[in-house]
């Protein structure tokens, strides 16, 4: 199966699983052996709204659930006739929150509905603001997660040849580090059997927190980058 076809299957599967997903609390839970920064960290990540969101993603003026709502970003689960998610940049991660900017729905320009009619242009808040840490996701082209941003350190997840977000999804973005490292919560909900994806039974679904490299901000296909998994 090609990378593009695999990613299309993953997106469709993730949307279906998200409809049944439990909302993840935004506040981080300490994980033994996994280093979690206590201060804000600068990020430079492309992301899109979490597939679990069934309503527009509210962007706030401060990292506080009671802060002023500046605007909103449409979500895929809310409007599935739009084939692509709104993309935005993650600029900072602060305990339980992400600072974002530059949201755009450009990938949906020129798309049509099932009757070949142009899809209406959507209103998207594109300024700076804050969203919960569990309201964004991206792809990770790596099978290995670490306790610290150090590939020589302790591995807390190893999926062999299967990338993390092909077998599951990012459920929260906790921190960013140098050299493309990110600390995320994840869930593993699928496995590859004979090259085909299969949903795991409930008793085999895994969740965790780890540091990863290999972040990819492309929703529909893989990113053209050298593999970070060299062993």
């Amino acid at each position: 199966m090609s990378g593009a076809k695999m990613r299309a299957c993953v997106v469709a599967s993730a949307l279906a699983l998200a409809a049944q997903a439990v909302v993840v609390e935004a506040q981080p839970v300490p994980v033994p052996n996994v280093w979690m920064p206590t201060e804000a960290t600068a990020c430079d990540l492309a992301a899109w709204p979490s597939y679990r969101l069934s309503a527009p993603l509210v962007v706030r003026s401060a990292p506080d659930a009671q802060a002023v709502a500046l605007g909103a970003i449409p979500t895929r689960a809310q409007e599935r006739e739009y084939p692509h998610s709104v993309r935005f940049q993650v600029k900072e991660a602060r305990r339980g929150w992400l600072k974002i900017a530059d949201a755009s729905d450009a990938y949906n320009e020129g798309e049509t509905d099932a009757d070949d009619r142009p899809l209406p242009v959507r209103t998207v808040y594109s300024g700076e603001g804050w969203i919960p840490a569990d309201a964004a996701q991206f792809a990770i082209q790596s099978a290995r997660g670490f306790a610290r941003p150090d590939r020589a350190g302790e591995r807390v997840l190893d999926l062999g040849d299967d990338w993390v977000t092909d077998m599951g999804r990012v459920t929260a973005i906790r921190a960013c580090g140098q050299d493309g490292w990110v600390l995320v919560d994840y869930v593993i909900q699928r496995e590859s059997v004979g090259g085909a994806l299969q949903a795991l039974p409930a008793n085999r679904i895994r969740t965790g927190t780890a540091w990863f490299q290999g972040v990819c901000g492309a929703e529909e296909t893989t990113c053209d980058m050298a593999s970070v998994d060299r062993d």
Side-chain angles (χ1 to χ4, degrees):
M1 182 181 294
S2 70
K5 288 183 178 178
M6 172 68 83
R7 182 55 57 81
C9 291
V10 168
V11 170
S13 177
L15 284 167
L17 288 167
Q20 308 170 14
V22 176
V23 174
V24 178
E25 290 295 330
Q27 291 302 317
V29 176
V31 179
N33 302 328
V34 175
W35 176 60
M36 187 174 295
T38 57
E39 303 295 327
T41 56
C43 300
D44 184 14
L45 306 169
W48 56 86
S50 172
Y51 292 143
R52 71 172 182 79
L53 298 175
S54 58
L57 172 58
V58 177
V59 182
R60 300 192 179 277
S61 61
D64 186 322
Q66 305 305 314
V68 173
L70 301 174
I73 295 173
T75 61
R76 283 288 294 281
Q78 172 204 10
E79 299 178 348
R80 293 197 182 188
E81 67 272 26
Y82 290 82
H84 309 289
S85 296
V86 172
R87 312 296 169 86
F88 50 79
Q89 292 296 121
V90 178
K91 300 293 190 180
E92 181 181 325
R94 185 180 302 185
R95 189 175 178 84
W97 290 87
L98 304 172
K99 188 177 185 178
I100 68 167
D102 303 324
S104 171
D105 203 23
Y107 281 94
N108 284 309
E109 291 179 3
E111 296 286 356
T112 58
D113 63 16
D115 297 317
D116 204 31
R117 296 173 299 192
L119 289 169
V121 176
R122 299 187 291 184
T123 299
V124 176
Y125 175 75
S126 60
E128 288 193 346
W130 295 86
I131 62 172
D134 60 352
Q137 65 183 78
F138 43 63
I140 297 177
Q141 294 180 192
S142 173
R144 296 158 183 53
F146 295 82
R148 302 181 68 88
D150 177 4
R151 298 194 73 82
E154 178 188 357
R155 290 183 188 177
V156 295
L157 178 71
D158 192 335
L159 297 178
D161 295 327
D162 297 322
W163 290 342
V164 176
T165 49
D166 282 349
M167 300 303 110
R169 61 187 172 88
V170 168
T171 58
I173 303 168
R174 298 301 179 189
C176 300
Q178 296 181 347
D179 300 321
W181 284 98
V182 292
L183 176 65
V184 303
D185 296 348
Y186 62 85
V187 58
I188 305 300
Q189 301 163 294
R190 296 177 287 272
E191 64 181 347
S192 178
V193 179
L197 294 178
Q198 294 185 2
L200 291 172
N203 65 347
R204 291 183 57 205
I205 291 175
R206 287 182 285 169
T207 60
T209 301
W211 287 91
F212 295 92
Q213 289 179 304
V215 171
C216 174
E219 181 181 22
E220 300 84 1
T221 187
T222 56
C223 290
D224 184 12
M225 66 172 71
S227 173
V228 295
D229 296 334
R230 301 183 181 90
D231 55 11

